[in-house]
Amino acid sequence: MAGPFGRSWVSSVRSSLAARRRPSRRRERARSVLSGRTVAGQVFILQVVLVVLLVAGAVVALVLQSRSDSDREARHRSVAVAEAFARSPELEEVLSGPDPSAVLQPITEQTRRAAGVDFIVVMDTKGIRYTHPLPDRIGKRFVGTIEPSLAGRVLVESVDGPLGEEVQAVVPVRGENGKVVGLVSAGLKVANVTGQLNRHLPVILGSGAAALALGAVSTALITRRLRRQTHGLDPAEMFRMYEHHDAVLHAVREGVLIVGGDGRLVLANDEARRLLDLPPDAEGRHANDLGLDPRTAQLLASGRVASDEVHLSGDRLLAVNLRPTDVAGGPPGSVATLRDTTELRALSGRADVARKRLKLLYDAGVRIGTTLDVARTAEELAEFAVPRFADYVTIDLTEPVLRGEESMAPRSGPHPMRRTALSGIRDDPPFYPLGQLITFVPSTPQGAGFATGQTVVEADMTAFSGWQTQDPSRARKIVEFGIHSMMAVPLRARGDILGMATFWRSVKPDPFDEEDLSLAEELTARAALCIDNARRYTREHTMAVTLQRSLLPRILPEQSALDVAYRYLPAQAGVGGDWFDVIPLPGARVALVVGDVVGHGLHAAATMGRLRTAVHNFSTLDLPPDELLWHLDELVARIDQGEASHDGGTVPITGATCLYAIYDPGSQRCTMARAGHPEPAVVHPDGSVEFTELPTSPPLGLGGLPFETAELQLPEGSRLVLYTDGLVENRDRDFDEGLTLLHRALETHPDRTPEETCEAVLDVLMPERPSDDIALLVARTRVLKGARVAQWDVPSDPSAVARVRAAVAEKLDEWDLGDVAFTTELIISELITNAIRYASAPIRLRLVRDRTLICEVSDGSSTSPHLRRAATTDEGGRGLFLVAQFAERWGTRYTAEGKVIWTEQPLPQSAVNA
């Protein structure tokens, strides 16, 4: 809450809360005062006891004194009243009168009240009363002893009379002749005697209560003062605090000094006395008189604030902290703490060395092994150790390790190793150059270390203790260069020695010691593990790449339909399942295939090889693209089933995509189908680019949906671009962005060759570190010219065979192929005759002069002839057999209109050269 109203409201709430707390605090303080747990409470209880005892004693003394005084006064008054009445001159005469009671009763009552006694009784010598304050007692016998009085004595006694407990005096009444003629008794009741005590008792009790109140007030005031001076601590807490303070003060391993405002030492604990070597009577003396170092004494006397100032005390280095004691209202002065930093500095020096070593090893783990390249990992080790650990570092690895193979070098004899990395503070050290193959002799640290697997230290190279036998002249140059210490550490990983790491020092004056040896061994052990990991990766990667490249086409087959260029780039992390192929088909046609098996590694490469082989096998059947993909889909499903059975019931899915296209240079048609693969791009002769809209089909292995084909008419010079998704998609860009970049790379320079197109596309789309394989296939279309193709329609009449043979012979002469005219005429005769006899119209014949002589006979029937061996008695059945013998290749392919039976014949050498 902000603003004046908010602040006033908060203040009022706090005030009210404080007001509510005050009575409770007062009550708590009152209870604490009245309780016996505090010193003030105990003093108050003692005061109460003393006041009670004093009051009780006063009351007892008052009672005793009162009783004594009252008894004495009662006796005296009783005797005096009795004697005075007994000596009355008329008493004898009244006693001898006829009715003494009538005369004496009024007189005695009047006298009793005037004399201040409770009763005056006149009686005869027999004790019969004549008077009494109680008239009904007149005439009755006196209660008391009268015999001594009859004898003439005065008797005072205490009796239990009619008025209660009484003090009475009995005095004889003598006649003129001295004879006792009667008795007079006067007395007081005890209750009247003790009434004085009752009058004085309230005064005594009031004085006692006033004393108690005064004691409570004084106790409260003393308690308040004690609380203020002791900060609210009770004696037990103060005692416990004192015990802890004394124990800690003298047990702590840190010196404590308290110096008063006048510069005199007030207190020093045991550790301070030990550290400063203080005299026994140090307390109370001035800081300058304690025999301290002048700088230390001046600091203690000044009272200024100091933090970790280092002062000398004998052979010790003390860290001194000084703080004033009057900051929070304390007494003037200062408190100083002392720490012996002599051992601490030594320990901190060793800890600093250990910390630097740990930091070095941590940095090594971060900076060494960032790649899976053997040579680069060795370079990282050499670069990291200079100049933090050594002035120069050389790394020598065995040849098998560099090739990714196991290090099979023998432990005895010469050890050839190749200088893989060299780093130093200068670029001109006289070492063996980088890349040189070095054979270290056993007397060198490198040779001995490789043979024994132990680190060898040459602390003083100038002694030439045997290390120079490798190359004496080079050894002298090394020493003249200033290098004075060397340490050779084996690069050991998984029980195998991969090479040697040699550390050299020139500028650093200290030679290598035992601590350097342990650090170097740990450093090289980590680096050796990284090198071995890189070696293993290199081996696995080489094996996978070798397998993959063995499964991919090494050279493209010769064909005349397309001018083809390709690029295949494996992923940085390993090989994958991308593949491509160019397959010549009958009739001068060519099939283009691009596929992608999901995943990386040997399994993906092996699966890719199986699919590529299957495509080759299916292409020999001359299947259309959709049927070929259907068979390929069935194969992938069977692969998954086989692997599921092998793995015990799991059902892995071999994710694979494929694009299959067939280009016919005669018709310039391209028929293609895809299974989950990216659409191809077509670059027209005018430079325009379009991505063909092929029907979408699922990837291979899923099944359930048909594959559909699409036909394109491609003019001569068009470029068909097929690729895998690794070209257009990676971690830094999505698929659509990659297609946009591909479109830009293809739409310029329409006159580029397929090779130039591949380079241009990769320059734009190739990532620095590809995360997926890249397969790129660029095919520029060609057209079979009319001069190289001849075609005839053949009527369904056997007599037409002769005319066709004559036309073929004429065309062959025109092509300068007269050497194959006979066999060609024979093949054509058999094929046309079979078509006329067994097939249906239309029947056509086409001759194509390509790299081979191609003969194609098409008809409207889908029935294919079969090659068989005719029996001796058979009149027919030998024609197709003859065709197979004279033709180099032959086969049948089906079309939408029927089928085509084709043959290929090799051209004569003269025609090939032409």
Side-chain angles (χ1 to χ4, degrees), residues 503-550:
F503 302 91
W504 315 76
R505 280 185 177 175
S506 61
V507 176
K508 288 179 170 50
D510 298 330
F512 290 107
D513 54 18
E514 291 297 326
E515 291 187 357
D516 294 328
L517 185 146
S518 61
L519 178 60
E521 287 181 342
E522 189 166 357
L523 183 64
T524 53
R526 298 189 180 193
L529 189 62
C530 295
I531 292 175
D532 189 58
N533 290 338
R535 177 192 64 80
R536 291 171 178 265
Y537 170 78
T538 301
R539 181 187 62 185
E540 299 296 332
H541 184 72
T542 302
M543 291 174 57
V545 169
T546 301
L547 172 63
Q548 187 180 38
R549 293 194 181 278
S550 66

Side-chain angles (χ1 to χ4, degrees), residues 612-627:
R612 178 172 177 261
T613 302
V615 170
H616 266 274
N617 294 333
F618 293 147
S619 66
T620 59
L621 301 176
D622 211 349
L623 298 174
D626 54 342
E627 292 187 22

Side-chain angles (χ1 to χ4, degrees), residues 408-472:
M408 303 302 293
R411 292 295 184 86
S412 60
H415 310 292
M417 288 178 278
R418 190 169 296 279
R419 177 67 41 95
T420 309
L422 189 157
S423 180
I425 57 176
R426 290 176 54 178
D427 298 332
D428 57 342
F431 300 140
Y432 288 112
L434 194 66
Q436 182 171 342
L437 187 64
I438 309 168
T439 301
F440 291 102
V441 298
S443 61
T444 60
Q446 292 85 350
F450 192 92
T452 62
Q454 302 295 325
T455 301
V456 179
V457 178
E458 192 72 33
D460 186 9
M461 297 176 61
T462 60
F464 294 104
S465 58
W467 66 274
Q468 77 282 359
T469 57
Q470 173 75 27
D471 191 339

Side-chain angles (χ1 to χ4, degrees), residues 36 117 151 177 184 198 281 301 362 399 518 574 621 651 700 722:
V117 295
N177 57 3
V184 176
N198 295 333
D281 59 344
Y362 171 78
E399 285 287 282
S518 61
L621 301 176
V651 186
L700 300 174
L722 284 67

